[in-house]
Amino acid sequence: MVFNDHRDFFEVLERENELARVKREVDWDGEAGAISRKTFEHEGPALLFEKIKDYPEGYRISNGTSGTWSRVALSMMLPKKTPIRKIYKEYEERIDIKIPPRIAKKTNAPCKENIMLGNKVDLNAFPAPIVHEGDGGRYIGTWDVVINKDPETNWTNWGMYRFMVHTKNWLTGWPQSTSQLAFIMKKSYLPYNKPMPIAVVLGTDPLSHIVATAGIKTFEDEVDHVGGLRGEPVELVKCETSDLLVPAHAEMVIEGELMPDKIAPDGPFGEYPGYRSGTMCAGVAVKVKAVTYRSQPIVTMVCLGTPPDDSSIAASLTAAVAMKKGLLRHGVPVTDVYVPPEGVTHLIVIGVKKGGTEIARKILDYFTLRRIMTNKHIIVDADVDVFNMGEVLHCFATRCHPGRGILYEWYEGRSNSLTPFYSPEERKKLKGVSVAFDSTWPPEWEKEIVPIKASFKSIYTKETIDKVNKNWESYGIKI
Ligand SMILES: Cc1cc2nc3c(=O)[nH]c(=O)nc-3n(C[C@H](O)[C@H](O)[C@H](O)COP(=O)(O)O)c2cc1C
């Protein structure tokens, strides 16, 4: 079943025991967030808070719709227990298929059930949560899809960027200067001092949210890739105050203009690396011109923090597949790439057919030349299962030479200021460093000097392995 909206997906989550409906009233001010965080930390279900303090019956908050591999599998119409390797493979195959969207009539679009326009706009009418204690404000945009368009090329970008309620008709946000939203602003609006129309979309089909977290190539429309992943076009509808097209089945669409001449306080926020993001910073200001929403709207939240959560899981998938394709294009003989959610996209495992210093250098170059926010890269031989962190750590511990096997490179202007270990000075300059841990056997070593792995698969003859496998049940050992 292809999901058109958040509500369809909840039905399946509920059937598959992946959803808890919280019927008791909860406070938007910290309580919904704290419950969500505790649930993530116990790998619990997605949540739907059905009664929110200070808000009318039916106004709801959700959390964690993509917070486990089972939910990601279900959103891709795969069985709940699909192994991570298979989820990666499906995504890798489907993400390159492009199916353009279908345009719906406004009268048929659920997101137009209610419309607030102009001076009627009141963002306080919606239960935007204080997600974590210490956040700079009420974040209405966390698990969102933010849409903006380049008028010069007609390219439409979808990205996931945080947005906070500033007043009843202003939002502030923090799209990083390296984001595609910022790229379009700098390219086609700032030079002309023009406001840029944007739409912050909450609660649409799960794959749209997942793809919004992905680093899709510049000048490519994410919505076409969502169509490919779903195998069906996404239905879009025109905004009320701009020509942007937004998912017709969304819970809420906040239409506004990002101002070229204003900066506004944003943050701090409990962020995806698992820490609060420093102090308040200078963010962008969005004047809200309309809000369209479904009756009994659901504000989609992700209570970001220590993994796992939707961010670390979704980014594991989208980042790994993008990196694998990129590294192959860069001439690296990659077998697999895994981004362990626990490493919050800072740590990447790369399996290669042939390793060595030259390949490690090539991998490092790939990462330091791009807008990629990773920093530690463990390179392993093809006999290691990159999805098995036990095997990866064993390989790293035993094959990475602490003198020759560690290569690093500094760069400036492209780093991620949310990376916890950078100093305040480094963050200001977006100064970063990438390291490769070459955990492969040197390709110049003769076969005879490469140590033989003492594992069942590697150290016995085929004859012994076959014999043991054939007789396994008769030994009476359960594994
Ligand atoms: C929950 C969540 C919140 C995010 N918030 C931001 C943000 O506020 N600013 C930002 O630049 N990137 C943010 N990101 C990362 C971007 O979504 C990611 O880099 C994505 O590729 C951006 O799209 P783009 O490549 O089209 O710019 C967030 C990711 C997640 C999962």
Side-chain angles (χ1 to χ4, degrees), residues 140-141 144-147 161 163 171 198-202 252-256 286:
I140 196 161
D144 56 18
V145 177
V146 180
I147 301 180
Y161 316 103
F163 275 96
L171 286 174
I198 74 163
V200 179
V201 176
L202 307 187
M252 283 179 67
V253 179
I254 305 173
E255 302 181 13
V286 174

Side-chain angles (χ1 to χ4, degrees), residues 141-425:
T142 54
W143 195 243
D144 56 18
V145 177
V146 180
I147 301 180
N148 67 321
K149 183 170 149 182
D150 177 16
E152 289 168 3
T153 59
N154 257 344
W155 160 47
T156 299
N157 173 53
W158 284 16
M160 185 174 284
Y161 316 103
R162 72 185 197 211
F163 275 96
M164 176 178 113
V165 176
H166 185 60
T167 62
K168 70 182 187 114
N169 60 347
W170 284 88
L171 286 174
T172 69
W174 190 69
Q176 298 204 48
S177 59
T178 48
S179 67
Q180 292 185 341
L181 182 144
F183 173 80
I184 294 178
M185 185 72 192
K186 286 188 269 189
K187 172 180 178 295
S188 299
Y189 291 91
L190 273 182
Y192 313 103
N193 202 29
K194 275 197 320 195
M196 175 172 75
I198 74 163
V200 179
V201 176
L202 307 187
T204 185
D205 68 282
L207 290 175
S208 290
H209 289 281
I210 289 176
V211 172
T213 72
I216 300 288
K217 279 194 229 135
T218 314
F219 302 116
E220 290 207 4
D221 289 12
E222 275 84 355
V223 68
D224 298 348
H225 294 277
V226 179
L229 270 177
R230 285 156 46 97
E232 268 190 29
V234 178
E235 239 187 339
L236 299 181
V237 67
K238 202 161 152 309
C239 277
E240 298 301 300
T241 59
S242 72
D243 66 353
L244 289 177
L245 293 166
V246 292
H249 297 260
E251 293 290 328
M252 283 179 67
V253 179
I254 305 173
E255 302 181 13
E257 285 183 337
L258 195 150
M259 293 298 163
D261 53 354
K262 285 193 167 37
I263 50 169
D266 176 76
F269 188 62
E271 269 290 353
Y272 77 97
Y275 299 86
R276 184 179 294 152
S277 64
T279 52
M280 191 171 269
C281 59
V284 298
V286 174
K287 168 120 204 240
V288 178
K289 298 172 78 182
V291 183
T292 73
Y293 59 101
R294 292 178 75 150
S295 298
Q296 305 196 316
I298 302 171
V299 171
T300 39
M301 169 174 82
V302 56
C303 182
L304 290 182
T306 52
D309 57 29
D310 301 53
S311 168
S312 51
I313 298 279
S316 163
L317 175 66
T318 60
V321 169
M323 287 174 206
K324 181 176 173 188
K325 288 177 195 270
L327 285 164
L328 283 169
R329 280 196 301 274
H330 194 66
V332 178
V334 180
T335 51
D336 277 309
V337 175
Y338 178 50
V339 177
E342 298 80 359
V344 291
T345 66
H346 289 26
L347 176 73
I348 316 298
V349 183
I350 300 154
V352 288
K353 281 195 198 106
K354 172 183 161 253
T357 311
E358 209 181 301
I359 291 297
R361 170 60 55 194
K362 216 172 183 158
I363 290 173
L364 198 57
D365 285 349
Y366 172 79
F367 285 107
T368 48
L369 289 173
R370 280 167 181 73
R371 176 184 74 96
I372 286 182
M373 301 184 172
T374 65
N375 46 67
K376 300 181 186 74
H377 312 90
I378 301 181
I379 307 163
V380 298
D381 290 307
D383 65 309
V384 176
D385 176 1
V386 301
F387 295 96
N388 180 334
M389 286 309 286
E391 274 191 40
V392 170
L393 279 178
H394 173 256
C395 171
F396 169 61
T398 55
R399 299 187 203 178
C400 180
H401 189 293
R404 288 190 300 270
I406 303 177
L407 292 77
Y408 62 89
E409 191 76 49
W410 286 90
Y411 55 92
E412 216 166 289
R414 288 189 308 277
S415 153
N416 178 4
S417 60
L418 289 177
T419 307
F421 56 76
Y422 288 134
S423 69
E425 199 50 34

Side-chain angles (χ1 to χ4, degrees), residues 5 7 59-60 105-116 237 240 247-253 291-298:
D5 63 18
R7 297 180 190 201
Y59 278 51
R60 292 165 289 169
K105 282 203 190 114
K106 280 191 179 178
T107 45
N108 296 336
C111 71
K112 305 281 187 187
E113 276 173 7
N114 303 278
I115 299 179
M116 278 178 179
V237 67
E240 298 301 300
H249 297 260
E251 293 290 328
M252 283 179 67
V253 179
V291 183
T292 73
Y293 59 101
R294 292 178 75 150
S295 298
Q296 305 196 316
I298 302 171

Side-chain angles (χ1 to χ4, degrees), residues 84-92 316 320 337-339:
I84 302 177
R85 177 184 285 282
K86 169 86 173 135
I87 297 175
Y88 266 50
K89 192 162 187 318
E90 279 281 329
Y91 180 88
E92 185 179 338
S316 163
V337 175
Y338 178 50
V339 177

